[in-house]
């Protein structure tokens, strides 16, 4: 297991220091995720032979939302026709981290996605090849990991310097492309919303996935207990390999739609959580919501950040798919706010992309997350850049463990 190194305060302080723009500012021409600012001086560019000036870049353009097959690999020269924004850097991408939001984006189910044609993708890692005149804390040649407001499905990206972090020295590019989104998602949900801490009991859905493994690692570091939920027995080995002494055998649930609530109750009894769990961290919902909600202790918090159980299969939803999705939507369990005072528990939801403008809060959380010194993220599957659509298709099945990464 490779352990991360702490970032310096100056490098951490840059993260999310600039306010993120609205989604409409992500354009097909540049797939940029930030406002351009007026330069105060000449731009800095790469001069080393290993970092040639960017000409055409390869990018995956989503021409129309609603169908994975609309994700088209193309060469774009327009991207480099303008100089780098003054507050930004350009990065030669080495690895791209996939997230479930990418699948929902392509299927047209992600409300944060921009209108029209655009380049999807939320995080990557690589080498800085160009720096805007006002970009600070990063130099040409630095190995970095980046979080973007779309645009990461490309071999070069332009990113606000505020959304770039140095790649920890022991980490690979694949590991770097797997940290920022799932790390901040997990820590924001568990800490800022869930108030995780020593002695708390946490029910973690999709526990063998990227966010799930990160969440379990956070629970272990802060002294919380965990109940891990997975979709099939083949993922048990991943949990045992990653957490050989943390997870009790009876605290791993291979979920069953017909008796999920009973499974959670049995796991709580096995680890001595008589009142149930204090936090549910859920990116699944659907048929698995009620079982967690019914076993949420007094004062408990149910934190939602996704709805994987509603994910359609196939490249597009289609007429039958929409009917099926509508049926699931109408049958979903609902919480009546009038009942919450009597039940003394609550439900919270978030999408990290809408928090990019909360610079001080996210920076504090990132500092705390780095201080936990978690192991490098687990890479479950890697694909070549030319095979990115198939990486999304595999991810869509829910059969993967760890992070799915695309090498560029």
């Amino acid at each position: 297991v490779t352990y991360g190194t702490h970032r310096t305060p100056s490098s951490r302080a840059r993260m999310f220091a600039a306010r993120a723009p609205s989604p409409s500012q992500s354009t097909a021409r540049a797939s940029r995720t930030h406002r351009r600012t007026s330069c105060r001086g000449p731009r800095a560019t790469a001069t080393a032979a290993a970092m040639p000036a960017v000409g055409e870049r390869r990018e995956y353009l989503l021409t129309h939302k609603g169908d994975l097959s609309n994700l088209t690999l193309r060469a774009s020269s327009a991207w480099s026709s303008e100089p780098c924004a003054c507050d930004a850097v350009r990065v030669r991408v080495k690895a791209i981290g996939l997230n479930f939001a990418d699948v929902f984006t392509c299927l047209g189910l992600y409300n944060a996605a921009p209108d029209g044609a655009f380049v999807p993708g939320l995080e990557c890692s690589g080498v800085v090849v160009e720096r805007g005149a006002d970009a600070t804390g990063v130099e040409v040649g630095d190995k970095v990991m980046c979080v973007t407001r779309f645009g990461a499905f490309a071999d070069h990206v332009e990113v606000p310097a505020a959304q770039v972090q140095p790649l920890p020295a022991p980490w690979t590019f694949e590991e770097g492309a797997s940290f920022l989104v799932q790390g901040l998602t997990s820590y924001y949900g568990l800490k800022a919303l869930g108030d995780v801490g020593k002695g708390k009991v946490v029910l973690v859905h999709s526990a063998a996935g990227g966010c799930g493994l990160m969440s379990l690692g956070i629970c272990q570091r802060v002294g919380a207990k965990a109940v891990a939920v997975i979709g099939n027995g083949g993922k048990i080995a991943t949990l045992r390999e990653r957490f050989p002494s943390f997870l009790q055998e009876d605290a791993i649930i291979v979920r069953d739609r017909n008796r999920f609530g009973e499974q959670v109750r049995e796991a709580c009894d096995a680890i001595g959580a008589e009142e149930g769990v204090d936090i549910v961290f859920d990116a699944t919902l659907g048929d698995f919501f009620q079982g967690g909600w019914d076993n949420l202790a007094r004062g408990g918090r149910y934190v939602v950040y996704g709805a994987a159980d509603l994910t359609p299969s196939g490249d597009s939803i289609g007429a039958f798919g929409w009917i099926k999705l509508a049926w699931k939507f109408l049958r979903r369990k609902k919480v009546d706010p009038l009942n919450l005072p009597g039940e003394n528990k609550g439900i919270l939801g978030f999408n990290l992309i809408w928090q990019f403008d909360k610079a001080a809060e996210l920076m504090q959380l990132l500092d705390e997350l780095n201080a936990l010194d978690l192991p490098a993220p687990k890479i479950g599957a890697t694909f070549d850049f030319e095979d990115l659509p198939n990486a999304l298709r595999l991810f869509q099945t829910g059969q993967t463990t760890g992070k799915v990464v695309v090498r560029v």
Side-chain angles (χ1 to χ4, degrees), residues 110-124:
Y110 194 54
N111 62 6
D115 296 326
F118 66 100
V119 177
L122 302 175
E123 65 181 328
C124 61

Side-chain angles (χ1 to χ4, degrees), residues 25 138-139 168 192 243 248 293 300 351 383:
Q25 290 174 292
V138 63
E139 300 294 338
F243 305 101
Q248 296 184 29
W293 179 255
N351 181 346
F383 286 77

Side-chain angles (χ1 to χ4, degrees), residues 27-260:
T27 65
R29 177 178 58 84
S31 299
R32 294 192 178 99
T33 60
H34 60 286
R35 296 182 179 89
R36 285 188 168 272
T37 57
S38 297
C39 287
R40 294 195 297 268
R43 67 176 186 173
T45 59
T47 57
M51 292 172 288
V54 180
E56 285 192 340
R57 78 162 185 172
R58 294 184 301 159
E59 62 185 20
Y60 275 96
L61 185 72
L62 184 64
T63 55
H64 298 87
K65 289 179 286 188
D67 195 322
L68 267 171
S69 63
N70 291 335
L71 199 58
T72 304
L73 179 60
R74 70 170 191 173
S76 172
S77 58
W79 182 80
S80 59
S81 63
E82 297 180 10
C84 180
C86 293
D87 61 346
V89 296
R90 283 180 172 171
V91 176
R92 168 66 174 94
V93 177
K94 296 291 189 178
I96 301 166
L98 300 187
N99 296 279
F100 231 92
D102 297 322
V103 176
F104 273 63
T105 293
C106 293
L107 293 176
L109 300 174
Y110 194 54
N111 62 6
D115 296 326
F118 66 100
V119 177
L122 302 175
E123 65 181 328
C124 61
S125 65
V127 179
V128 176
V129 295
E130 188 175 342
R131 178 176 64 83
D134 297 338
T136 59
V138 63
E139 300 294 338
V140 170
D142 285 354
K143 295 179 179 180
V144 295
M145 44 191 182
C146 319
V147 60
T148 71
R149 189 98 170 242
F150 306 104
F153 286 3
D155 62 7
H156 288 81
V157 297
E158 183 174 311
V159 189
Q163 293 171 207
V164 171
Q165 284 278 284
L167 182 73
W171 288 15
T172 65
F173 284 113
E174 290 80 8
E175 290 166 341
S178 306
F179 177 70
L180 287 175
V181 170
Q182 68 185 24
L184 281 169
T185 295
S186 299
Y187 198 73
Y188 179 83
L190 290 174
K191 183 62 176 179
L193 301 186
D195 193 31
V196 70
K198 187 175 182 178
K200 295 287 183 73
V201 180
V202 185
L203 180 70
V204 178
H205 280 270
S206 303
C211 281
L213 293 173
M214 185 71 69
S215 299
L216 292 174
I218 291 169
C219 290
Q220 183 180 34
R221 285 290 199 267
V222 303
K225 296 181 179 180
V227 175
V229 181
I230 53 179
N232 63 72
K235 298 182 179 184
I236 294 176
T238 296
L239 297 180
R240 288 179 175 165
E241 176 188 355
R242 189 77 168 180
F243 305 101
S245 60
F246 173 57
L247 285 173
Q248 296 184 29
E249 184 175 350
D250 292 336
I252 299 176
I253 297 174
V254 181
R255 66 191 185 207
D256 182 338
R257 292 182 187 274
N258 297 318
R259 56 181 301 271
F260 182 63

Side-chain angles (χ1 to χ4, degrees), residues 361-374:
E361 181 181 9
L362 287 180
M363 271 312 312
Q364 176 63 33
L365 292 172
L366 186 60
D367 282 346
E368 294 174 9
L369 176 62
N370 286 330
L372 295 179
D373 197 26
L374 295 171

